[in-house]
Amino acid sequence: QVQLVESGGGLVQPGGSLRLSCAASGSISSNNVMGWYRQAPGKQREMVLVISSAGTTYYADFVKGRFTISRDNAKNTVHLQMNSLKPEDTAVYVCNLKQFGGHSPTSDYWGQGTQVTVSS
């Protein structure tokens, strides 16, 4: 079993920055993808930014140039740096870990989520 613990959400003014962190513990394979999704009220959950254990990143168009992701494989942590935040970035941000056996997904874990509110 894997546990994901998130931190770093909060209230920020438009144009501000926040850094989210997610720490994974438990039985974690070396072949995985960790990252962040978000869900705003009344909307479906969407991918924000994820990063593979090899360092490949996948991102949604809306974060290009504003958000970056990094990871520490030794500590099984990922960090999401969010800059130039907009009110439409307001959502619950949820950490995700997908593990793979070869190219096939074997497990999928979610954190409890952390609220990010962008408002003046």
Side-chain angles (χ1 to χ4, degrees), residues 2-66:
V2 172
Q3 293 78 43
L4 301 176
V5 178
E6 302 132 326
S7 60
L11 172 65
V12 64
Q13 292 187 338
S17 298
L18 278 177
R19 178 178 163 94
L20 305 183
S21 296
C22 175
S25 61
S27 180
I28 301 168
S29 72
S30 59
N31 185 8
N32 65 69
V33 176
M34 284 186 74
W36 296 89
Y37 289 69
R38 73 184 188 184
Q39 187 164 17
K43 295 188 176 181
Q44 288 191 329
R45 182 174 290 182
E46 60 184 353
M47 186 191 77
V48 179
L49 256 176
V50 299
I51 182 168
S52 73
S53 45
T56 303
T57 59
Y58 307 87
Y59 58 89
D61 287 343
F62 59 77
V63 307
K64 193 173 183 180
R66 300 190 299 130

Side-chain angles (χ1 to χ4, degrees), residues 35-110:
W36 296 89
Y37 289 69
R38 73 184 188 184
Q39 187 164 17
K43 295 188 176 181
Q44 288 191 329
R45 182 174 290 182
E46 60 184 353
M47 186 191 77
V48 179
L49 256 176
V50 299
I51 182 168
S52 73
S53 45
T56 303
T57 59
Y58 307 87
Y59 58 89
D61 287 343
F62 59 77
V63 307
K64 193 173 183 180
R66 300 190 299 130
F67 296 3
T68 58
I69 192 168
S70 61
R71 69 180 288 164
D72 182 335
N73 287 336
K75 296 181 179 179
N76 292 314
T77 58
V78 291
H79 306 284
L80 180 67
Q81 179 65 43
M82 304 186 292
N83 301 324
S84 302
L85 282 161
K86 305 174 182 179
E88 52 264 43
D89 294 317
T90 296
V92 175
Y93 285 69
V94 188
C95 182
N96 174 258
L97 169 67
K98 289 181 173 57
Q99 305 199 98
F100 293 83
H103 295 290
S104 300
T106 58
S107 56
D108 194 11
Y109 298 96
W110 295 92

